Amino acid sequence: MNCAWEIKPRQLCATRGDQYNLNMAVFDEKHEELDHHETMMGVPRGRLAVTMDMITDAMALVGQHGVFCQSQRWPGKPVMDIQIVMKNLTGAKELIQSVMEELRAKPPHSADSAAG
């Protein structure tokens, strides 16, 4: 059975530094956004910023779905599964924001400071 949704294993690139897992689809799909944010914020914070954008987009789509899938028990509220998904996406965004703040607070490590 050939299904378009079938998950196919990917060979992971296990090289050092910034090259880790660059053959994953997200690096191809979000190449321009990643380049922009990584240049502006550095690699870790740039990737987290793109992740935040992706989660925000997912939240918007789930929110739109919630408008049409209203709870019969609580009119005006989305069904319970949509409420749970939104809660988890919101929590994920909060965790990513906290990591971004931690990274901003710590100075980047340079080769010169590590050698001294």
Side-chain angles (χ1 to χ4, degrees):
M1 182 170 151
N2 190 1
C3 179
W5 294 8
E6 184 177 310
I7 298 173
K8 297 181 177 151
R10 288 188 170 272
Q11 179 182 5
L12 296 178
C13 175
T15 60
R16 61 186 173 82
D18 297 343
Q19 302 303 310
Y20 185 74
N21 289 345
L22 290 184
N23 64 341
M24 295 174 67
V26 71
F27 287 96
D28 294 331
E29 294 169 12
K30 301 291 183 180
H31 179 73
E32 289 180 20
E33 291 174 63
L34 285 165
D35 280 349
H36 174 75
H37 284 87
E38 288 174 3
T39 300
M40 299 292 290
M41 309 169 98
V43 173
R45 288 183 63 226
R47 289 182 184 177
L48 288 172
V50 172
T51 304
M52 289 282 289
D53 289 345
M54 293 170 67
I55 290 174
T56 301
D57 292 345
M59 290 176 76
L61 292 170
V62 171
Q64 288 175 354
H65 188 66
V67 170
F68 297 105
C69 296
Q70 296 288 310
S71 171
Q72 292 188 6
R73 281 190 187 174
W74 300 286
K77 284 194 164 241
V79 291
M80 187 58 68
D81 58 343
I82 292 176
Q83 291 180 46
I84 292 168
V85 169
M86 286 297 284
K87 180 180 180 208
N88 282 302
L89 288 171
T90 301
K93 279 185 73 167
E94 290 172 3
L95 288 171
I96 292 169
Q97 286 172 332
S98 72
V99 171
M100 289 180 75
E101 290 302 316
E102 287 287 323
L103 289 172
R104 184 190 336 227
K106 293 180 182 178
H109 297 294
S110 68
D112 296 334
S113 63

